[in-house]
Amino acid sequence: MSRLAEKTLNKWYPRILTLGAIIGLVASFWQVVERITMLKDPGAALSCNLNPVIDCGSVLSNRWAALFGFPNALIGIVMFTILMTFGLAMLAGVKARDWFWKAFGVVALILILFSVWFFGMSLYVIGKVCLFCIFIWTVSVPIFLYGIDWLVANKHLGEPKFLKALRRYHTESVVLIYMLALALYFYRFRTYYF
């Protein structure tokens, strides 16, 4: 990566991380509010029930939406709050020890793994999608991919060979993942959309 590309990454990634974390935090919080509404009145029409496919009520009432016995959205609130803290630390120019930034990488990795898992569960097990999950999945991809790039560029992470291609084509990787997710979504719900 060139010096100019590294300077651009160091300038923009903290903003991308902070904004993505805020979006994820708002989506997670709103999902908790909808879950509380549903618990108070099981017959309530949720604001996020848009159609037979994007149906938060069906997703939120499914056992997979509470993997550890409490709503997955609470995990999102914690994860995105932590990530927002890292983003604000980056924006403030905090010079922290290496373990601090590696902890950031671990949180970003957990977020993307959980997002990919729940994306698959929503499409192929639950058979419905939650509007808030779409926002969470969307921000998880750049937070993780650009985060890996930021960690390597700032010498907090080594660069195995498979990361070289990812770092070289990080924007293309984000677009490709979005296109793949959209293709899987439309293929899974093709009878509704087509």
Side-chain angles (χ1 to χ4, degrees):
M1 180 179 271
S2 71
R3 287 305 273 162
L4 179 62
E6 281 187 19
K7 283 180 77 172
T8 303
L9 177 68
N10 284 329
K11 178 182 177 185
W12 285 102
Y13 181 67
R15 295 172 182 163
I16 291 168
L17 173 60
T18 305
L19 180 62
I22 290 169
I23 291 168
L25 185 59
V26 169
S28 298
F29 183 77
W30 195 354
Q31 191 177 34
V32 169
V33 169
E34 293 290 342
R35 179 81 180 232
I36 291 169
T37 301
M38 198 173 79
L39 290 172
K40 286 181 178 177
D41 180 10
L46 301 180
S47 64
C48 54
N49 290 348
L50 302 181
N51 59 43
V53 173
I54 300 177
D55 180 4
C56 295
S58 296
V59 174
L60 294 176
S61 63
N62 192 284
R63 68 184 178 106
W64 294 109
L67 182 63
F68 299 109
F70 53 86
N72 293 347
L74 294 176
I75 297 170
I77 288 172
V78 170
M79 298 292 284
F80 286 115
T81 300
I82 292 168
L83 288 168
M84 185 175 65
T85 303
F86 282 117
L88 293 172
M90 289 176 189
L91 284 170
V94 169
K95 303 289 183 210
R97 293 186 182 250
D98 206 39
W99 66 264
F100 181 81
W101 299 116
K102 287 184 179 175
F104 155 68
V106 169
V107 173
L109 177 64
I110 292 169
L111 175 68
I112 194 71
L113 291 175
F114 198 76
S115 294
V116 168
W117 170 79
F118 200 68
F119 178 78
M121 294 303 289
S122 293
L123 258 58
Y124 301 108
V125 176
I126 300 170
K128 305 280 182 185
V129 175
C130 174
L131 178 64
F132 307 114
C133 295
I134 293 171
F135 285 101
I136 291 167
W137 298 331
T138 302
V139 299
S140 297
V141 173
I143 284 174
F144 175 71
L145 289 179
Y146 289 128
I148 293 295
D149 202 15
W150 186 89
L151 286 167
V152 172
N154 287 282
K155 313 253 186 292
H156 299 296
L157 185 66
E159 187 175 23
K161 288 183 181 181
F162 75 92
L163 283 181
K164 286 185 181 180
L166 179 66
R167 290 190 68 217
R168 184 170 180 193
Y169 301 107
H170 52 254
T171 303
E172 292 86 349
S173 299
V174 170
V175 171
L176 182 65
I177 290 169
Y178 285 160
M179 289 173 55
L180 177 62
L182 275 173
L184 290 170
Y185 172 84
F186 282 116
Y187 183 76
R188 170 62 179 88
F189 300 114
R190 63 191 176 281
T191 55
Y192 176 75
Y193 287 106
F194 305 108

